Amino acid sequence: MTNTAPFENWDGNMFDLGPLYPMVGTEVTLVVILVICWIGWHILQIRQENKDYEDEARRLREGGNLQKALQDEHTLERM
Amino acid sequence: MDKDITALQVLFTETYYWITVVMMFLIHAGFCMYEVGVSRRKNHMKTLMKNVMVIPTVGVTFYLFGWWLYSAMVNGPGITGGLVPSHFAEPWNELMAAHMGGKPHGADLSAADTALWARLNGVFWAAFLLFSWTTASIVSGSIIERVKSGAFWLIAVMLGSVTWIIDAAWGWHPAGWMVKILGYHDAYASGVVHAIAGGTCLAVLLNLGPRIGKFKPDGTPRNIPPQNPWLVCIGLFLIYTGFWGFYAACNIPIYDVQPGDAVFWSATNIYLQPTTLSAITFNFIMALCGGLMAGYIISKGDAYWTLSCGLSGVIATSAGNDLYHPIQAFLISAIIMVIIYKMHYWVERRFKLDDAVGAVAVHGYSGFLGVVAAGFVLWGYPSSPDALLGHAEPWARITPWGQLAGAVIMFWVLGFIPGYILSWILNKFGLLRVPREVELAGLDHAAMAEVMREDDEMRAVLAQEARASAK
């Protein structure tokens, strides 16, 4: 039977019980995954934010969109 | 019997810190409410999310390297020694996860390490992480309504998981080199949390620039009042509430402070010097009173500034609130509030600094002056329990010049300089500030456009119905 636990049962000497989490020995791999998630998140977030703002700025520059947006601000504040 | 007492000490300490973490969460809730209340309606969502996402960005990095820096950097390194091995705080270490304290699996740990850290590592890590969130959140408020969130989160990681925790290792650790050489004393973090955050705020604001319309063509500042002052006030009350947890988390709740064989249990401050919860409760409340009273008079009863001065008054006395007399805390708080209020408006006019929440003053100047004030009021106090910690030579005593040097290190060296460099780089790459059109329309404009279109449609329908009824 598969057992990811670092111990067989709860019946032994409690003073011998160390890590409780599964798959002891994979910690470095888990840290590498977390580093990739962390840096990857910042890259994705910054790309997404820059694109959204550039698109929005372009839309606002067209026609009277910026004036309309400023009028909308008053609507928004009344909501 | 000794083992029983030690086990109770550990279990009590674990529970104590866990409760402080829950209380400190209110600080973050308060900061979110406060910032949203200050921001204009068109920027609410981005303002809220900017602060909410401090939790994961700083949380992940504090797990990866922030907690390790606290223990590893106490000597500088290179000032009083090298890097200190801190295996228990390495992110791949078994003690950075669920552990019962028994025999270690890894060769880099001893049985004593696991017995000590198994129950304390997670709650200590979390308590320090909550300090990190607070430090980053302080910057968040001052730069609202024009900063790109992605830039802020990089600044938050730098401040929350690198610079502030290095300053804590240096000046807020029983073995820190600033304590040893300068006699630096900052029990509840006037400098190590607030001055450094204020210094970073100032640096980022200089690169970011003011909000559009903040200053008239002749340079006179326009007031942009809080959009929802009542939300701001409730947010500040929540910060006050969480601040109690912050104070408690700066103490070690039960420790044998008697050198030699005898035993004397007491709470201690972070330097393992004895203090009591009663002492800090006296001083917290009297400092709050001093700040509120001075803030009320100087701002002519303005709710926003009065409450901010209450908070800032506590910050101003935090360096020495383990030792001050409550009336000293009251007076220090009140005097510093008058100074920081005047400085806020002087700097705003002189340098065109648009600090939306007054964070540079409330945290930065107040924390800086609070550290310096402690140097005069606590002049000559020992900075460390030398016999308890087995120092061969007594460590430096508290002095005005040691505290001034410490305040400069916090505000300028670790706060302002790294903040200026990072925000300058972000600005050069166009990552710091939103486009002008977006700032004018509001950071939430794209997301809210659909809501507004529906609102326009509803208004048209209602107008049509009204005309029909009139006929």
PDB file of all heavy atoms in Angstrom, chain A residues 15 17-18 20-21 27 38 45 49-50 53 56 61 69 72-73 75, chain B residues 42 46 61 92 94 98 100 102 148-150 153 431 437 445 452 455:
ATOM      1  N   PHE A  15       8.287  11.009  21.118  1.00  0.00           N
ATOM      2  CA  PHE A  15       9.538  11.776  21.111  1.00  0.00           C
ATOM      3  C   PHE A  15      10.375  11.491  19.856  1.00  0.00           C
ATOM      4  O   PHE A  15      11.328  12.201  19.571  1.00  0.00           O
ATOM      5  CB  PHE A  15      10.356  11.466  22.369  1.00  0.00           C
ATOM      6  CG  PHE A  15       9.746  12.058  23.608  1.00  0.00           C
ATOM      7  CD1 PHE A  15       8.947  11.290  24.443  1.00  0.00           C
ATOM      8  CD2 PHE A  15       9.934  13.393  23.915  1.00  0.00           C
ATOM      9  CE1 PHE A  15       8.368  11.846  25.563  1.00  0.00           C
ATOM     10  CE2 PHE A  15       9.353  13.954  25.044  1.00  0.00           C
ATOM     11  CZ  PHE A  15       8.565  13.182  25.881  1.00  0.00           C
ATOM     12  N   LEU A  17       8.910  11.324  16.889  1.00  0.00           N
ATOM     13  CA  LEU A  17       8.156  11.832  15.744  1.00  0.00           C
ATOM     14  C   LEU A  17       8.750  13.170  15.256  1.00  0.00           C
ATOM     15  O   LEU A  17       8.823  14.135  16.014  1.00  0.00           O
ATOM     16  CB  LEU A  17       6.694  12.033  16.162  1.00  0.00           C
ATOM     17  CG  LEU A  17       5.609  11.874  15.127  1.00  0.00           C
ATOM     18  CD1 LEU A  17       5.756  10.577  14.331  1.00  0.00           C
ATOM     19  CD2 LEU A  17       4.239  11.930  15.796  1.00  0.00           C
ATOM     20  N   GLY A  18       9.182  13.207  14.012  1.00  0.00           N
ATOM     21  CA  GLY A  18       9.746  14.429  13.435  1.00  0.00           C
ATOM     22  C   GLY A  18       8.783  15.061  12.462  1.00  0.00           C
ATOM     23  O   GLY A  18       7.681  15.476  12.851  1.00  0.00           O
ATOM     24  N   LEU A  20       5.858  15.791   9.865  1.00  0.00           N
ATOM     25  CA  LEU A  20       4.525  15.178   9.722  1.00  0.00           C
ATOM     26  C   LEU A  20       4.046  15.223   8.273  1.00  0.00           C
ATOM     27  O   LEU A  20       3.086  14.554   7.928  1.00  0.00           O
ATOM     28  CB  LEU A  20       3.512  15.929  10.595  1.00  0.00           C
ATOM     29  CG  LEU A  20       3.733  15.904  12.105  1.00  0.00           C
ATOM     30  CD1 LEU A  20       2.610  16.680  12.804  1.00  0.00           C
ATOM     31  CD2 LEU A  20       3.772  14.483  12.625  1.00  0.00           C
ATOM     32  N   TYR A  21       4.683  16.032   7.460  1.00  0.00           N
ATOM     33  CA  TYR A  21       4.174  16.249   6.091  1.00  0.00           C
ATOM     34  C   TYR A  21       4.548  15.085   5.175  1.00  0.00           C
ATOM     35  O   TYR A  21       5.524  14.369   5.431  1.00  0.00           O
ATOM     36  CB  TYR A  21       4.707  17.573   5.527  1.00  0.00           C
ATOM     37  CG  TYR A  21       6.198  17.730   5.583  1.00  0.00           C
ATOM     38  CD1 TYR A  21       7.011  17.286   4.550  1.00  0.00           C
ATOM     39  CD2 TYR A  21       6.809  18.326   6.685  1.00  0.00           C
ATOM     40  CE1 TYR A  21       8.391  17.430   4.601  1.00  0.00           C
ATOM     41  CE2 TYR A  21       8.194  18.478   6.747  1.00  0.00           C
ATOM     42  CZ  TYR A  21       8.974  18.024   5.705  1.00  0.00           C
ATOM     43  OH  TYR A  21      10.338  18.161   5.757  1.00  0.00           O
ATOM     44  N   GLU A  27      11.680  18.441  -0.446  1.00  0.00           N
ATOM     45  CA  GLU A  27      11.583  19.858  -0.061  1.00  0.00           C
ATOM     46  C   GLU A  27      12.255  20.788  -1.072  1.00  0.00           C
ATOM     47  O   GLU A  27      11.714  21.857  -1.387  1.00  0.00           O
ATOM     48  CB  GLU A  27      12.206  20.091   1.329  1.00  0.00           C
ATOM     49  CG  GLU A  27      11.467  19.409   2.475  1.00  0.00           C
ATOM     50  CD  GLU A  27      11.929  17.975   2.704  1.00  0.00           C
ATOM     51  OE1 GLU A  27      12.682  17.444   1.856  1.00  0.00           O
ATOM     52  OE2 GLU A  27      11.539  17.377   3.705  1.00  0.00           O
ATOM     53  N   TRP A  38       6.467  32.122  -8.015  1.00  0.00           N
ATOM     54  CA  TRP A  38       6.602  33.523  -7.552  1.00  0.00           C
ATOM     55  C   TRP A  38       7.084  34.425  -8.691  1.00  0.00           C
ATOM     56  O   TRP A  38       6.432  35.430  -9.024  1.00  0.00           O
ATOM     57  CB  TRP A  38       7.562  33.581  -6.360  1.00  0.00           C
ATOM     58  CG  TRP A  38       8.071  34.959  -6.063  1.00  0.00           C
ATOM     59  CD1 TRP A  38       7.311  36.090  -5.900  1.00  0.00           C
ATOM     60  CD2 TRP A  38       9.432  35.370  -5.935  1.00  0.00           C
ATOM     61  NE1 TRP A  38       8.128  37.175  -5.665  1.00  0.00           N
ATOM     62  CE2 TRP A  38       9.422  36.761  -5.672  1.00  0.00           C
ATOM     63  CE3 TRP A  38      10.652  34.703  -5.982  1.00  0.00           C
ATOM     64  CZ2 TRP A  38      10.606  37.488  -5.486  1.00  0.00           C
ATOM     65  CZ3 TRP A  38      11.824  35.435  -5.783  1.00  0.00           C
ATOM     66  CH2 TRP A  38      11.788  36.803  -5.549  1.00  0.00           C
ATOM     67  N   GLN A  45       1.846  39.078 -14.307  1.00  0.00           N
ATOM     68  CA  GLN A  45       1.052  40.205 -13.798  1.00  0.00           C
ATOM     69  C   GLN A  45       1.493  41.511 -14.451  1.00  0.00           C
ATOM     70  O   GLN A  45       0.650  42.313 -14.871  1.00  0.00           O
ATOM     71  CB  GLN A  45       1.203  40.275 -12.273  1.00  0.00           C
ATOM     72  CG  GLN A  45       0.309  41.300 -11.594  1.00  0.00           C
ATOM     73  CD  GLN A  45       0.871  42.698 -11.646  1.00  0.00           C
ATOM     74  OE1 GLN A  45       2.079  42.904 -11.594  1.00  0.00           O
ATOM     75  NE2 GLN A  45      -0.013  43.682 -11.781  1.00  0.00           N
ATOM     76  N   GLU A  49      -0.847  43.779 -16.801  1.00  0.00           N
ATOM     77  CA  GLU A  49      -1.190  45.137 -16.361  1.00  0.00           C
ATOM     78  C   GLU A  49      -0.766  46.165 -17.412  1.00  0.00           C
ATOM     79  O   GLU A  49      -1.534  47.077 -17.745  1.00  0.00           O
ATOM     80  CB  GLU A  49      -0.520  45.438 -15.015  1.00  0.00           C
ATOM     81  CG  GLU A  49      -0.928  46.791 -14.440  1.00  0.00           C
ATOM     82  CD  GLU A  49      -0.278  47.078 -13.101  1.00  0.00           C
ATOM     83  OE1 GLU A  49       0.905  46.712 -12.900  1.00  0.00           O
ATOM     84  OE2 GLU A  49      -0.948  47.684 -12.247  1.00  0.00           O
ATOM     85  N   ASN A  50       0.454  46.009 -17.944  1.00  0.00           N
ATOM     86  CA  ASN A  50       0.919  46.965 -18.956  1.00  0.00           C
ATOM     87  C   ASN A  50       0.030  46.939 -20.190  1.00  0.00           C
ATOM     88  O   ASN A  50      -0.326  47.980 -20.745  1.00  0.00           O
ATOM     89  CB  ASN A  50       2.364  46.648 -19.352  1.00  0.00           C
ATOM     90  CG  ASN A  50       3.345  47.119 -18.294  1.00  0.00           C
ATOM     91  OD1 ASN A  50       2.985  47.888 -17.413  1.00  0.00           O
ATOM     92  ND2 ASN A  50       4.563  46.640 -18.366  1.00  0.00           N
ATOM     93  N   TYR A  53      -3.367  48.628 -19.456  1.00  0.00           N
ATOM     94  CA  TYR A  53      -3.287  50.081 -19.381  1.00  0.00           C
ATOM     95  C   TYR A  53      -3.017  50.697 -20.758  1.00  0.00           C
ATOM     96  O   TYR A  53      -3.551  51.761 -21.094  1.00  0.00           O
ATOM     97  CB  TYR A  53      -2.203  50.507 -18.390  1.00  0.00           C
ATOM     98  CG  TYR A  53      -2.648  50.452 -16.933  1.00  0.00           C
ATOM     99  CD1 TYR A  53      -1.772  50.067 -15.929  1.00  0.00           C
ATOM    100  CD2 TYR A  53      -3.938  50.810 -16.571  1.00  0.00           C
ATOM    101  CE1 TYR A  53      -2.168  50.026 -14.601  1.00  0.00           C
ATOM    102  CE2 TYR A  53      -4.358  50.764 -15.243  1.00  0.00           C
ATOM    103  CZ  TYR A  53      -3.463  50.374 -14.262  1.00  0.00           C
ATOM    104  OH  TYR A  53      -3.863  50.342 -12.961  1.00  0.00           O
ATOM    105  N   GLU A  56      -6.224  50.605 -22.692  1.00  0.00           N
ATOM    106  CA  GLU A  56      -7.164  51.565 -22.124  1.00  0.00           C
ATOM    107  C   GLU A  56      -6.775  53.000 -22.489  1.00  0.00           C
ATOM    108  O   GLU A  56      -7.627  53.807 -22.862  1.00  0.00           O
ATOM    109  CB  GLU A  56      -7.204  51.384 -20.598  1.00  0.00           C
ATOM    110  CG  GLU A  56      -8.060  52.362 -19.832  1.00  0.00           C
ATOM    111  CD  GLU A  56      -9.541  52.204 -20.085  1.00  0.00           C
ATOM    112  OE1 GLU A  56      -9.933  51.346 -20.903  1.00  0.00           O
ATOM    113  OE2 GLU A  56     -10.319  52.965 -19.484  1.00  0.00           O
ATOM    114  N   ARG A  61      -7.767  57.925 -25.733  1.00  0.00           N
ATOM    115  CA  ARG A  61      -7.273  58.985 -26.611  1.00  0.00           C
ATOM    116  C   ARG A  61      -8.170  59.188 -27.831  1.00  0.00           C
ATOM    117  O   ARG A  61      -8.106  60.208 -28.488  1.00  0.00           O
ATOM    118  CB  ARG A  61      -5.838  58.681 -27.053  1.00  0.00           C
ATOM    119  CG  ARG A  61      -4.788  59.025 -25.999  1.00  0.00           C
ATOM    120  CD  ARG A  61      -3.393  59.001 -26.573  1.00  0.00           C
ATOM    121  NE  ARG A  61      -2.963  57.676 -26.891  1.00  0.00           N
ATOM    122  CZ  ARG A  61      -2.272  56.872 -26.064  1.00  0.00           C
ATOM    123  NH1 ARG A  61      -1.959  57.281 -24.859  1.00  0.00           N
ATOM    124  NH2 ARG A  61      -1.913  55.673 -26.431  1.00  0.00           N
ATOM    125  N   ALA A  69     -15.328  59.738 -20.085  1.00  0.00           N
ATOM    126  CA  ALA A  69     -14.886  59.061 -18.861  1.00  0.00           C
ATOM    127  C   ALA A  69     -14.937  60.011 -17.670  1.00  0.00           C
ATOM    128  O   ALA A  69     -15.326  59.617 -16.568  1.00  0.00           O
ATOM    129  CB  ALA A  69     -13.467  58.540 -19.048  1.00  0.00           C
ATOM    130  N   ASP A  72     -18.367  60.253 -16.651  1.00  0.00           N
ATOM    131  CA  ASP A  72     -18.728  59.018 -15.952  1.00  0.00           C
ATOM    132  C   ASP A  72     -18.284  59.045 -14.498  1.00  0.00           C
ATOM    133  O   ASP A  72     -18.902  58.441 -13.631  1.00  0.00           O
ATOM    134  CB  ASP A  72     -18.084  57.802 -16.634  1.00  0.00           C
ATOM    135  CG  ASP A  72     -18.793  57.431 -17.923  1.00  0.00           C
ATOM    136  OD1 ASP A  72     -19.913  57.938 -18.134  1.00  0.00           O
ATOM    137  OD2 ASP A  72     -18.230  56.651 -18.705  1.00  0.00           O
ATOM    138  N   GLU A  73     -17.185  59.755 -14.251  1.00  0.00           N
ATOM    139  CA  GLU A  73     -16.682  59.826 -12.881  1.00  0.00           C
ATOM    140  C   GLU A  73     -17.750  60.409 -11.960  1.00  0.00           C
ATOM    141  O   GLU A  73     -17.945  59.946 -10.844  1.00  0.00           O
ATOM    142  CB  GLU A  73     -15.411  60.677 -12.833  1.00  0.00           C
ATOM    143  CG  GLU A  73     -14.783  60.711 -11.451  1.00  0.00           C
ATOM    144  CD  GLU A  73     -13.532  61.581 -11.393  1.00  0.00           C
ATOM    145  OE1 GLU A  73     -13.029  61.974 -12.459  1.00  0.00           O
ATOM    146  OE2 GLU A  73     -13.078  61.845 -10.276  1.00  0.00           O
ATOM    147  N   THR A  75     -20.956  60.269 -12.479  1.00  0.00           N
ATOM    148  CA  THR A  75     -21.996  59.234 -12.330  1.00  0.00           C
ATOM    149  C   THR A  75     -21.569  58.235 -11.262  1.00  0.00           C
ATOM    150  O   THR A  75     -22.350  57.872 -10.383  1.00  0.00           O
ATOM    151  CB  THR A  75     -22.166  58.482 -13.673  1.00  0.00           C
ATOM    152  OG1 THR A  75     -22.367  59.441 -14.699  1.00  0.00           O
ATOM    153  CG2 THR A  75     -23.330  57.513 -13.616  1.00  0.00           C
TER     154      THR A  75
ATOM    155  N   LYS B  42     -13.229  56.340  -8.465  1.00  0.00           N
ATOM    156  CA  LYS B  42     -12.775  55.763  -9.732  1.00  0.00           C
ATOM    157  C   LYS B  42     -11.526  54.895  -9.572  1.00  0.00           C
ATOM    158  O   LYS B  42     -11.074  54.268 -10.524  1.00  0.00           O
ATOM    159  CB  LYS B  42     -12.485  56.888 -10.742  1.00  0.00           C
ATOM    160  CG  LYS B  42     -11.419  57.884 -10.278  1.00  0.00           C
ATOM    161  CD  LYS B  42     -11.261  59.013 -11.283  1.00  0.00           C
ATOM    162  CE  LYS B  42     -10.251  60.039 -10.803  1.00  0.00           C
ATOM    163  NZ  LYS B  42     -10.061  61.135 -11.762  1.00  0.00           N
ATOM    164  N   LYS B  46      -8.655  49.054  -7.752  1.00  0.00           N
ATOM    165  CA  LYS B  46      -7.198  48.903  -7.885  1.00  0.00           C
ATOM    166  C   LYS B  46      -6.502  49.209  -6.557  1.00  0.00           C
ATOM    167  O   LYS B  46      -5.509  48.564  -6.198  1.00  0.00           O
ATOM    168  CB  LYS B  46      -6.667  49.830  -8.988  1.00  0.00           C
ATOM    169  CG  LYS B  46      -6.932  49.326 -10.403  1.00  0.00           C
ATOM    170  CD  LYS B  46      -5.999  48.172 -10.757  1.00  0.00           C
ATOM    171  CE  LYS B  46      -5.927  47.892 -12.250  1.00  0.00           C
ATOM    172  NZ  LYS B  46      -7.204  47.520 -12.865  1.00  0.00           N
ATOM    173  N   THR B  61       7.622  35.353  -0.477  1.00  0.00           N
ATOM    174  CA  THR B  61       9.055  35.686  -0.417  1.00  0.00           C
ATOM    175  C   THR B  61       9.576  35.654   1.014  1.00  0.00           C
ATOM    176  O   THR B  61      10.749  35.351   1.232  1.00  0.00           O
ATOM    177  CB  THR B  61       9.322  37.064  -1.049  1.00  0.00           C
ATOM    178  OG1 THR B  61       8.395  38.017  -0.503  1.00  0.00           O
ATOM    179  CG2 THR B  61       9.155  37.008  -2.547  1.00  0.00           C
ATOM    180  N   TRP B  92      13.812  24.986   2.524  1.00  0.00           N
ATOM    181  CA  TRP B  92      13.785  23.540   2.253  1.00  0.00           C
ATOM    182  C   TRP B  92      13.976  22.728   3.537  1.00  0.00           C
ATOM    183  O   TRP B  92      14.051  21.519   3.489  1.00  0.00           O
ATOM    184  CB  TRP B  92      14.868  23.161   1.243  1.00  0.00           C
ATOM    185  CG  TRP B  92      16.201  23.772   1.567  1.00  0.00           C
ATOM    186  CD1 TRP B  92      17.099  23.323   2.482  1.00  0.00           C
ATOM    187  CD2 TRP B  92      16.755  24.948   1.004  1.00  0.00           C
ATOM    188  NE1 TRP B  92      18.187  24.152   2.530  1.00  0.00           N
ATOM    189  CE2 TRP B  92      18.009  25.165   1.624  1.00  0.00           C
ATOM    190  CE3 TRP B  92      16.315  25.873   0.041  1.00  0.00           C
ATOM    191  CZ2 TRP B  92      18.833  26.247   1.317  1.00  0.00           C
ATOM    192  CZ3 TRP B  92      17.133  26.942  -0.267  1.00  0.00           C
ATOM    193  CH2 TRP B  92      18.370  27.133   0.363  1.00  0.00           C
ATOM    194  N   GLU B  94      13.203  20.900   7.080  1.00  0.00           N
ATOM    195  CA  GLU B  94      12.026  20.199   7.620  1.00  0.00           C
ATOM    196  C   GLU B  94      11.315  21.010   8.703  1.00  0.00           C
ATOM    197  O   GLU B  94      10.125  20.823   8.948  1.00  0.00           O
ATOM    198  CB  GLU B  94      12.422  18.833   8.179  1.00  0.00           C
ATOM    199  CG  GLU B  94      13.385  18.873   9.338  1.00  0.00           C
ATOM    200  CD  GLU B  94      13.989  17.509   9.660  1.00  0.00           C
ATOM    201  OE1 GLU B  94      14.948  17.095   8.969  1.00  0.00           O
ATOM    202  OE2 GLU B  94      13.498  16.874  10.584  1.00  0.00           O
ATOM    203  N   ALA B  98       5.202  21.225   9.056  1.00  0.00           N
ATOM    204  CA  ALA B  98       4.656  20.513  10.225  1.00  0.00           C
ATOM    205  C   ALA B  98       5.699  19.558  10.799  1.00  0.00           C
ATOM    206  O   ALA B  98       6.241  18.712  10.079  1.00  0.00           O
ATOM    207  CB  ALA B  98       3.420  19.735   9.794  1.00  0.00           C
ATOM    208  N   MET B 100       6.996  17.549  14.709  1.00  0.00           N
ATOM    209  CA  MET B 100       6.673  17.284  16.115  1.00  0.00           C
ATOM    210  C   MET B 100       7.876  17.456  17.045  1.00  0.00           C
ATOM    211  O   MET B 100       7.767  17.262  18.260  1.00  0.00           O
ATOM    212  CB  MET B 100       6.112  15.866  16.266  1.00  0.00           C
ATOM    213  CG  MET B 100       4.650  15.756  15.857  1.00  0.00           C
ATOM    214  SD  MET B 100       3.546  16.776  16.854  1.00  0.00           S
ATOM    215  CE  MET B 100       3.486  15.825  18.364  1.00  0.00           C
ATOM    216  N   GLY B 102      10.757  15.728  17.064  1.00  0.00           N
ATOM    217  CA  GLY B 102      11.576  14.536  17.327  1.00  0.00           C
ATOM    218  C   GLY B 102      12.856  14.539  16.524  1.00  0.00           C
ATOM    219  O   GLY B 102      13.330  15.586  16.052  1.00  0.00           O
ATOM    220  N   LYS B 148       1.523  51.894 -10.686  1.00  0.00           N
ATOM    221  CA  LYS B 148       1.156  50.582 -11.226  1.00  0.00           C
ATOM    222  C   LYS B 148       1.283  49.549 -10.098  1.00  0.00           C
ATOM    223  O   LYS B 148       2.286  49.535  -9.365  1.00  0.00           O
ATOM    224  CB  LYS B 148       2.076  50.204 -12.378  1.00  0.00           C
ATOM    225  CG  LYS B 148       1.757  50.929 -13.675  1.00  0.00           C
ATOM    226  CD  LYS B 148       2.629  50.422 -14.800  1.00  0.00           C
ATOM    227  CE  LYS B 148       2.242  51.087 -16.129  1.00  0.00           C
ATOM    228  NZ  LYS B 148       3.162  50.747 -17.220  1.00  0.00           N
ATOM    229  N   SER B 149       0.299  48.677 -10.012  1.00  0.00           N
ATOM    230  CA  SER B 149       0.298  47.701  -8.920  1.00  0.00           C
ATOM    231  C   SER B 149       1.526  46.802  -8.985  1.00  0.00           C
ATOM    232  O   SER B 149       2.122  46.466  -7.949  1.00  0.00           O
ATOM    233  CB  SER B 149      -0.962  46.834  -8.984  1.00  0.00           C
ATOM    234  OG  SER B 149      -2.094  47.629  -8.826  1.00  0.00           O
ATOM    235  N   GLY B 150       1.913  46.402 -10.206  1.00  0.00           N
ATOM    236  CA  GLY B 150       3.057  45.496 -10.354  1.00  0.00           C
ATOM    237  C   GLY B 150       4.335  46.106  -9.797  1.00  0.00           C
ATOM    238  O   GLY B 150       5.159  45.412  -9.192  1.00  0.00           O
ATOM    239  N   TRP B 153       4.184  45.975  -5.995  1.00  0.00           N
ATOM    240  CA  TRP B 153       4.426  44.654  -5.394  1.00  0.00           C
ATOM    241  C   TRP B 153       5.909  44.290  -5.403  1.00  0.00           C
ATOM    242  O   TRP B 153       6.370  43.581  -4.512  1.00  0.00           O
ATOM    243  CB  TRP B 153       3.566  43.590  -6.090  1.00  0.00           C
ATOM    244  CG  TRP B 153       2.109  43.781  -5.787  1.00  0.00           C
ATOM    245  CD1 TRP B 153       1.576  44.190  -4.597  1.00  0.00           C
ATOM    246  CD2 TRP B 153       1.006  43.623  -6.671  1.00  0.00           C
ATOM    247  NE1 TRP B 153       0.207  44.293  -4.690  1.00  0.00           N
ATOM    248  CE2 TRP B 153      -0.165  43.949  -5.955  1.00  0.00           C
ATOM    249  CE3 TRP B 153       0.885  43.234  -8.006  1.00  0.00           C
ATOM    250  CZ2 TRP B 153      -1.438  43.888  -6.513  1.00  0.00           C
ATOM    251  CZ3 TRP B 153      -0.385  43.175  -8.566  1.00  0.00           C
ATOM    252  CH2 TRP B 153      -1.530  43.497  -7.834  1.00  0.00           C
ATOM    253  N   LEU B 431       7.566  51.316 -15.787  1.00  0.00           N
ATOM    254  CA  LEU B 431       6.766  50.365 -15.018  1.00  0.00           C
ATOM    255  C   LEU B 431       6.171  50.970 -13.747  1.00  0.00           C
ATOM    256  O   LEU B 431       5.444  50.300 -13.026  1.00  0.00           O
ATOM    257  CB  LEU B 431       7.627  49.147 -14.620  1.00  0.00           C
ATOM    258  CG  LEU B 431       8.156  48.294 -15.771  1.00  0.00           C
ATOM    259  CD1 LEU B 431       9.135  47.253 -15.247  1.00  0.00           C
ATOM    260  CD2 LEU B 431       7.001  47.612 -16.493  1.00  0.00           C
ATOM    261  N   GLU B 437      -3.725  59.247 -19.349  1.00  0.00           N
ATOM    262  CA  GLU B 437      -5.165  59.156 -19.666  1.00  0.00           C
ATOM    263  C   GLU B 437      -5.881  58.249 -18.660  1.00  0.00           C
ATOM    264  O   GLU B 437      -7.007  58.526 -18.243  1.00  0.00           O
ATOM    265  CB  GLU B 437      -5.374  58.584 -21.078  1.00  0.00           C
ATOM    266  CG  GLU B 437      -4.851  59.451 -22.195  1.00  0.00           C
ATOM    267  CD  GLU B 437      -3.364  59.252 -22.447  1.00  0.00           C
ATOM    268  OE1 GLU B 437      -2.740  58.432 -21.738  1.00  0.00           O
ATOM    269  OE2 GLU B 437      -2.818  59.930 -23.332  1.00  0.00           O
ATOM    270  N   HIS B 445     -11.387  52.475 -14.574  1.00  0.00           N
ATOM    271  CA  HIS B 445     -12.319  52.880 -15.616  1.00  0.00           C
ATOM    272  C   HIS B 445     -12.704  51.738 -16.546  1.00  0.00           C
ATOM    273  O   HIS B 445     -13.882  51.536 -16.847  1.00  0.00           O
ATOM    274  CB  HIS B 445     -11.767  54.047 -16.426  1.00  0.00           C
ATOM    275  CG  HIS B 445     -12.722  54.507 -17.473  1.00  0.00           C
ATOM    276  ND1 HIS B 445     -12.587  54.159 -18.794  1.00  0.00           N
ATOM    277  CD2 HIS B 445     -13.850  55.241 -17.380  1.00  0.00           C
ATOM    278  CE1 HIS B 445     -13.595  54.671 -19.478  1.00  0.00           C
ATOM    279  NE2 HIS B 445     -14.367  55.340 -18.641  1.00  0.00           N
ATOM    280  N   MET B 452     -21.050  51.398 -15.831  1.00  0.00           N
ATOM    281  CA  MET B 452     -21.525  52.749 -16.141  1.00  0.00           C
ATOM    282  C   MET B 452     -22.481  52.745 -17.331  1.00  0.00           C
ATOM    283  O   MET B 452     -23.462  53.478 -17.347  1.00  0.00           O
ATOM    284  CB  MET B 452     -20.333  53.651 -16.422  1.00  0.00           C
ATOM    285  CG  MET B 452     -19.520  53.944 -15.182  1.00  0.00           C
ATOM    286  SD  MET B 452     -18.223  55.091 -15.580  1.00  0.00           S
ATOM    287  CE  MET B 452     -16.865  54.390 -14.723  1.00  0.00           C
ATOM    288  N   ASP B 455     -25.682  51.713 -16.080  1.00  0.00           N
ATOM    289  CA  ASP B 455     -26.282  52.784 -15.295  1.00  0.00           C
ATOM    290  C   ASP B 455     -26.905  53.831 -16.214  1.00  0.00           C
ATOM    291  O   ASP B 455     -28.018  54.315 -15.959  1.00  0.00           O
ATOM    292  CB  ASP B 455     -25.208  53.431 -14.411  1.00  0.00           C
ATOM    293  CG  ASP B 455     -25.805  54.444 -13.467  1.00  0.00           C
ATOM    294  OD1 ASP B 455     -26.569  54.031 -12.574  1.00  0.00           O
ATOM    295  OD2 ASP B 455     -25.525  55.652 -13.638  1.00  0.00           O
TER     296      ASP B 455
END
